[in-house]
Amino acid sequence: MNILGIETSCDETSAGIVSKKNDGSNKLSLLSNTVSSSLPLHAKTGGIIPEIAAREQIKLIIPVIKEALISSFDAIAVTYGPGLLGSLLVGVETARTLSYAFNKPLIPVNHLIGHIYANWIDQDLEIEFPALSLVVSGGHTDLILIKDHKKIKWLGGTRDDAAGEAYDKIGRLLGLSYPGGPAIEKAALNGNKDRYNFPKPMIDSGDFDFSFSGLKTAVLREVQAIEQLNNRTINNICASVQQSITDVLVKKTIYAAKKFKVKSILLGGGVAANQKLRDELKLKIVNSKLKIELFIPKKFLCTDNGAMIAAAAFFNGKPVSWRNLSANPQLYFD
Ligand code: KG4
Ligand code: ZN
């Protein structure tokens, strides 16, 4: 069975085909994944302008789907929320039309669940439950407990800025290119992480919530006190910021993993592409001698893509009539 997944919730326009073998296993294989981003347009403004993103997606959606269609498909999965309304509409309306025209089932997918299921794509190991997922993206920082495919429970999330949002805002105030996450990661390679002692908000709060706006304010204050920002200072600030964010994410994830005695940890979302986070979480699990398998999608499957939406549809999808699907920008976990 092949599912075509369509993703347009933010600035990416993406389509991918994922296939599930008929051998009783849960193995998914990636057949195609095409991503086109309107990022260069947003780089000039240092942030996404929803109207511009949606207009670009209208132009891109058909060419992107055409490129991804390297095989037949049996169903269409589409992100219906959360995200930007205009952007979501492009994907949802296209998917509804395809469902009607080709008479194929239409499966709505929650974008955040999609990020979790990127972990099943081309994965050889069986993912064992209960599993804990840390979804870290531009709009979300969530800890989610997965008892099985149908029992997914939100444990906690950010009270203000998401981790990716903090990277993006701090990147902007340092004059780095947008999005800030990859730019800060690159600058941090040449910086000293111990040069600045930035806060690690809520690291010991004993719950599953996060808060990153205080970190952003602390960096702003530091930058305002510096007469002239040179590359060395910027690199040091980036390394220290990356360390603070990573420490909080790793510590809280391990705390939740122990509390719920999970067998697997699944990382997901754009910030999961960050090498420091990937390495430190791995190291912490090994050093703590925890019997937990860590799953991290390939980097191109961490940021928004259609394949992860198709993957989620295999395990989590309920087909609906094309007549009844509408976008839901505020969609969250049940
Ligand atoms: O999941 P995603 O592609 O889109 C949303 O659903 O938001 O995540 C985008 C976010 C941005 O905030 C970006 O700065 C961050 O992921 N990001 C990174 C890295 N790559 C992307 N953050 C840190 N390090 C990276 N390498
Ligand atoms: Zn995302």
Side-chain angles (χ1 to χ4, degrees), residues 8-293:
T8 63
S9 66
C10 195
D11 53 336
E12 265 88 25
T13 306
S14 178
I17 300 183
V18 172
S19 170
K20 186 163 181 284
K21 293 201 184 84
N22 222 349
D23 59 359
S25 76
N26 285 328
K27 290 197 177 136
L28 301 183
S29 0
L30 181 68
L31 300 190
S32 68
N33 189 46
T34 303
V35 184
S36 185
S37 176
S38 58
L39 261 187
L41 296 177
H42 307 300
K44 291 177 212 149
T45 44
I48 295 165
I49 297 177
E51 178 74 18
I52 292 179
R55 281 171 188 263
E56 198 60 16
Q57 283 163 319
I58 289 172
K59 287 189 231 156
L60 293 170
I61 187 76
I62 299 300
V64 161
I65 291 175
K66 249 178 147 175
E67 197 179 318
L69 273 183
I70 58 159
S71 73
S72 61
F73 59 91
D74 306 292
I76 303 149
V78 64
T79 300
Y80 74 113
L84 304 169
L85 178 59
S87 293
L88 289 167
L89 278 175
V90 177
V92 166
E93 294 309 314
T94 307
R96 292 177 69 210
T97 309
L98 290 175
S99 167
Y100 170 73
F102 292 97
N103 197 20
K104 302 279 185 198
L106 175 64
I107 305 170
V109 172
N110 177 328
H111 178 79
L112 301 168
I113 304 265
H115 275 304
I116 299 173
Y117 277 88
N119 283 287
W120 267 263
I121 299 174
D122 285 337
Q123 180 54 255
D124 288 331
L125 284 178
E126 194 70 31
I127 296 177
E128 286 190 56
F129 297 130
L132 174 78
S133 184
L134 172 70
V135 176
V136 265
S137 71
H140 292 272
T141 305
D142 292 306
L143 279 168
I144 298 130
L145 183 64
I146 306 150
K147 288 190 182 155
D148 63 52
H149 291 298
K150 303 286 172 196
K151 279 196 202 134
I152 296 185
K153 189 176 173 232
W154 181 80
L155 299 175
T158 185
R159 296 185 179 177
D160 41 57
D161 292 354
E165 195 177 352
Y167 271 123
D168 294 341
K169 288 178 175 171
I170 292 169
R172 193 179 318 153
L173 68 90
L174 291 172
L176 301 177
S177 59
Y178 180 84
I184 289 178
E185 176 170 30
K186 194 165 164 231
L189 290 174
N190 300 314
N192 173 3
K193 67 179 173 51
D194 301 316
R195 171 64 186 79
Y196 296 94
N197 195 10
F198 291 128
K200 298 176 182 173
M202 298 186 71
I203 193 162
D204 289 314
S205 61
D207 57 21
F208 312 112
D209 286 344
F210 299 88
S211 160
F212 290 106
S213 76
L215 172 62
K216 173 194 62 193
T217 311
V219 177
L220 177 65
R221 273 201 215 103
E222 194 65 51
V223 168
Q224 283 168 340
I226 297 170
E227 252 175 51
Q228 197 157 18
L229 272 180
N230 58 33
N231 279 346
R232 201 165 62 122
T233 315
I234 290 176
N235 293 345
N236 289 340
I237 292 176
C238 287
S240 307
V241 162
Q242 181 175 252
Q243 193 62 49
S244 284
I245 294 179
T246 305
D247 283 351
V248 173
L249 295 176
V250 169
K251 185 143 190 205
K252 292 218 130 171
T253 303
I254 298 294
Y255 172 71
K258 283 183 181 162
K259 184 124 186 160
F260 293 98
K261 301 188 172 62
V262 300
K263 294 185 176 153
S264 320
I265 292 179
L266 317 174
L267 209 52
V271 181
N274 184 273
Q275 195 60 45
K276 179 119 193 140
L277 176 62
R278 298 163 83 95
D279 292 345
E280 298 229 342
L281 197 50
K282 218 175 286 173
L283 197 69
K284 187 77 192 173
I285 291 172
V286 172
N287 288 349
S288 317
K289 298 195 170 61
L290 292 168
K291 286 205 182 76
I292 296 175
E293 198 71 51

